[in-house]
Amino acid sequence: MLRQFILFAAAIVLLTEAFASQTAVKIGVLNDSSGVYSDSGGAGSVLAAHMAAEDFQATAHSLSVQVISADHQNKPDIAAAIARQWYDRDGVDAIFDLPPSSAALAVNLVTRDKNKVFVASSAGTADLTGSQCTPNTVHWTYDTVALANGTGGAMVKRGGNTWFFITADYTFGYVLQHDTTAVVEKSGGRVVGSVRAPFPNSDFSSFLLQAQASKAKVIGLANAGRDAASAIKQAGEFGIRQSGQSLAALLISLAEIHALGPAVAQGLVLTEAFYWDLNNATRAFSDRFAKRFGGRKPTAYQAGVYASALHYLKAVEAVGSPKDGAAVVAKMKELPTDDPLFGKGEIRQDGRKIHDMYLFEVKTPAESKGEWDLYKVLATIPGKEAFRPLDEGGCPLVAMSAAHH
């Protein structure tokens, strides 16, 4: 009995030492868990972060990772207040996900001031790696420039050379319209008009009628989430595509396309960084995810949270501590990225993660072989072509580095 007790006590000591030698890391997933962006990010992004922590800990035992989450209700002031509380009081080392762009830009500044880490997956504004870049932020999944280069450039090539925009009336919408306009004009097309729609919004009828009256070949939806889905659904009711105008969804996720279904969304052209059915690795992850998420396949933003959290943890392990945010981000940039969802890539000096983007078309009901079989690949856009060149964004970090060389 005594021998068993001694062995038991020794085992406890070993376990205690193992835990004591682990570095504690706390990740916060901050997003919209109840509003227009909850389907594309929301609880699925939180699950993705948990899966990244589990997968990392299964192979590397040096970190003990905790994941927490909160809903910022799409309000920049609430997002900034939660970020401050997490950093100052709750011991959070890094914040992930974070739509919309206005909230992301607010958290971006708090993160820099507190020298923590911010990794954006759902936020679109390319300003995060442009004029607002910091040594503490990484922009992972996509941005407005990549969407514009993908969908804008492709539609003009396919004959869609006149555009009318329906634009969400806030930062993200303006930037998306601006970036897409630049690509359309550079490709030889022109913009014949635009209208700003309140955000969030459920009735797009008056805006769609203006777009229809413009006779533009392409109606560009510079909005996102459920707003984009509502506009597409109402465009179907107006028979816009039947009358010869094309709809370009400049930002929409698999969650919204799934909710609309191929009968409504068929023929829609869109650009994304990830799709569950791209290859064996994306399918394997997506099956695991769906088993834990009511059968739902991951969106690109949720995939981005998984992949970026995994890379962040590798960087923390290499640095040895999560406490100096700028040092961890510098290590994230130094280490080549490699994960099952986005493959091999890199994080540039301005914090922009570079990987291929894909131009998709939504399948017709006849082409779709199952509930989640929704996209076909029209083109693969190499990362170097999809994202803005490093020297064109106006990121102060790039200018500083050029001055040092």
Side-chain angles (χ1 to χ4, degrees), residues 2 14 19 24 29 43 47 63 99 103 130 134 149 156 179 189 197 235 237 249 252 264 277 291 315 319 331 389:
L2 182 65
L14 283 171
F19 280 118
V29 179
L47 171 61
L63 306 182
T134 87
N149 283 337
V156 177
D179 290 346
E237 290 159 9
I252 193 157
V264 174
D277 201 16
K291 281 196 178 80
V319 171
K331 184 57 76 173

Side-chain angles (χ1 to χ4, degrees), residues 151-357:
T151 311
M155 294 298 276
V156 177
K157 275 185 199 141
R158 298 175 68 179
N161 58 359
T162 53
W163 283 62
F164 185 98
F165 287 98
I166 297 175
T167 301
D169 196 2
Y170 75 107
T171 311
F172 163 78
Y174 314 148
V175 175
L176 189 50
Q177 180 183 330
H178 172 271
D179 290 346
T180 308
T181 298
V183 171
V184 167
E185 289 174 350
K186 191 173 152 194
S187 309
R190 64 193 174 90
V191 175
V192 297
S194 68
V195 62
R196 289 183 174 181
F199 166 80
N201 186 46
S202 56
D203 181 11
F204 286 87
S205 49
S206 67
F207 311 122
L208 287 163
L209 289 170
Q210 286 178 60
Q212 215 169 8
S214 76
K215 301 281 194 284
K217 290 180 185 170
V218 180
I219 300 170
L221 300 176
N223 55 11
R226 288 181 199 159
D227 280 23
S230 298
I232 292 161
K233 193 168 179 224
Q234 287 158 31
E237 290 159 9
F238 283 135
I240 278 177
R241 260 168 291 170
Q242 291 79 344
S243 66
Q245 286 175 298
S246 297
L247 272 188
L250 295 168
L251 178 58
I252 193 157
S253 82
L254 185 71
E256 285 91 38
I257 297 293
H258 175 262
L260 288 166
V264 174
Q266 61 183 309
L268 198 64
V269 175
L270 60 133
T271 302
E272 291 224 63
F274 167 89
Y275 175 52
W276 71 270
D277 201 16
L278 282 174
N279 55 51
N280 288 337
T282 58
R283 283 188 283 274
F285 170 81
S286 301
D287 287 348
R288 283 171 52 210
F289 181 95
K291 281 196 178 80
R292 293 171 64 170
F293 202 54
R296 298 180 69 80
K297 300 291 188 193
T299 64
Y301 320 138
Q302 292 159 350
V305 170
Y306 172 85
S308 61
L310 209 52
H311 189 68
Y312 164 76
L313 293 170
K314 287 177 193 168
V316 171
E317 185 182 42
V319 171
S321 162
K323 296 305 167 203
D324 180 348
V328 174
V329 169
K331 184 57 76 173
M332 288 176 77
K333 292 173 183 176
E334 187 189 312
L335 296 171
T337 62
D338 190 3
D339 66 79
L341 307 190
F342 295 84
K344 288 181 164 57
E346 58 163 340
I347 299 169
R348 288 191 320 205
Q349 222 171 333
D350 57 356
R352 177 66 257 166
K353 162 72 163 52
I354 303 296
H355 46 241
D356 292 347
M357 297 289 290

